[in-house]
Amino acid sequence: MKRKDSLAQRLCASPHIVWSALFIVVPLIMVVYYAFTDKTGAFTLDNISRLSDYTTTFLRSIWYGIIATIICLVIAYPVAYIIARSKARVQSTMIMLVMIPMWMNFLLRTYSWMTLLADNGVINNLLAKIGAGPLHMINTAGAVILGMVYNFLPYMILPIYTVMTKLDNSLIEAAQDLGANKARVFIDVVVPHSISGVVSGITMVFVPSVSTFYISQKLGGGSFALIGDIIEMQFQISNNFNFGAALSLVLMILILICMTVMNRFGDNDESKGGVMI
């Protein structure tokens, strides 16, 4: 009977194994292969040695990703808390409002910010009417970070909200019965039990922020190139797949390190929540 169950389990898992092999393992092997070979297929370390030329770009990508992640956390945590403490109907409405922008194409959302932030755009026209403008907002580092925050903010709100909805109200009532005020309840009860959601949100925002390229091109005007821009250029313009693969390999390693660290933090909190990958 156990053998039959084992065989059935293997058969059920086989589609997932085949899918993982075709679309995860094989592409990773191809990236590693191209990273350590030249255009003739010969082994070389030249692609790896050239990475030092883009140290500034890597650091800029990480820095922008950190800033965007912090801003998303500062905005998302109170929003998620308010939603989680609201009535069921209100929660559904507010979650829908958070999700609505995600229904729109990523490119269209970014283009809309180009219209808003342009020197003669909507915001500057409004500022001109009250005598407070115009302000140069497009093609700046701030515009790039703003685009990251806008596009990835829902990925911070949703996991934190999900964890907070699972918080047992009896814990809050017990803390209040013991004389804790609202601030102490929030710090000692709510925050510790929401760490797993925070860790998940940080990972889900930081990873795409570091690897993005379209936001920096459209809102940064090409003046604030991120590592994703360099990778795209190698594949789309320079046709240098080998160096592009080397850049991709380093970016994957950085992302894996980030996810490993975040999972460590997630495993140490009381709720034992893992990072959503």
Side-chain angles (χ1 to χ4, degrees):
M1 186 68 180
K2 292 183 179 180
R3 291 182 178 179
K4 291 182 179 180
D5 292 341
S6 177
L7 178 60
Q9 291 174 357
R10 291 179 182 178
L11 290 175
C12 291
S14 58
H16 173 72
I17 295 173
V18 173
W19 178 275
S20 299
L22 289 177
F23 297 102
I24 299 178
V25 178
V26 173
L28 289 176
I29 293 175
M30 293 177 64
V31 169
V32 174
Y33 169 77
Y34 278 105
F36 290 98
T37 57
D38 56 20
K39 293 184 178 180
T40 64
F43 176 81
T44 181
L45 293 176
D46 290 343
N47 299 318
I48 304 300
S49 62
R50 287 183 57 193
L51 293 175
S52 59
D53 297 336
Y54 295 92
T55 302
T56 302
T57 305
F58 274 105
L59 294 177
R60 182 188 298 120
S61 301
I62 295 172
W63 178 238
Y64 284 9
I66 291 174
I67 295 176
T69 303
I70 292 175
I71 295 174
C72 284
L73 179 59
V74 171
I75 297 174
Y77 199 93
V79 171
Y81 179 77
I82 293 172
I83 297 175
R85 304 305 298 174
S86 301
K87 296 180 180 179
R89 290 184 178 179
V90 177
Q91 287 187 29
S92 300
T93 302
M94 296 181 73
I95 288 297
M96 183 183 67
L97 293 176
V98 172
M99 295 288 293
I100 283 177
M102 300 175 65
W103 299 350
M104 188 184 302
N105 185 273
F106 179 86
L107 305 183
L108 294 178
R109 297 202 304 268
T110 305
Y111 263 112
S112 66
W113 275 107
M114 293 176 62
T115 303
L116 292 171
L117 299 177
D119 292 337
N120 59 346
V122 176
I123 296 178
N124 271 321
N125 286 333
L126 293 175
L127 292 175
K129 290 182 179 180
I130 61 175
L135 300 176
H136 180 66
M137 295 177 285
I138 196 69
N139 299 337
T140 62
V144 175
I145 295 173
L146 174 62
M148 292 179 179
V149 172
Y150 172 75
N151 282 291
F152 305 132
L153 180 60
Y155 299 112
M156 182 72 77
I157 294 176
L158 295 177
I160 298 177
Y161 159 77
T162 301
V163 171
M164 285 186 174
T165 55
K166 298 178 181 178
L167 176 62
D168 190 352
N169 288 328
S170 63
L171 296 176
I172 297 177
E173 294 174 357
Q176 292 173 339
D177 292 340
L178 292 173
N181 56 29
K182 292 183 178 180
R184 296 308 306 176
V185 170
F186 181 79
I187 295 173
D188 295 336
V189 179
V190 177
V191 172
H193 284 80
S194 62
I195 293 300
S196 61
V198 171
V199 171
S200 297
I202 290 175
T203 304
M204 294 173 69
V205 171
F206 180 75
V207 169
S209 295
V210 171
S211 58
T212 189
F213 61 93
Y214 192 80
I215 295 174
S216 54
Q217 290 178 7
K218 298 305 178 183
L219 299 182
S223 301
F224 303 91
L226 304 181
I227 190 61
D229 299 309
I230 306 301
I231 293 174
E232 187 209 19
M233 182 178 66
Q234 299 302 318
F235 283 99
Q236 298 290 342
I237 300 175
S238 302
N239 291 325
N240 191 345
F241 298 160
N242 302 93
F243 185 56
L247 290 168
S248 301
L249 179 63
V250 174
L251 182 59
M252 284 192 297
I253 292 173
L254 290 175
I255 291 174
L256 288 174
I257 292 173
C258 169
M259 293 171 64
T260 301
V261 172
M262 289 297 99
N263 270 307
R264 290 283 184 177
F265 281 106
D267 290 340
N268 289 333
D269 76 278
E270 296 180 2
S271 61
K272 300 297 180 182
V275 175
M276 299 170 62
I277 301 175

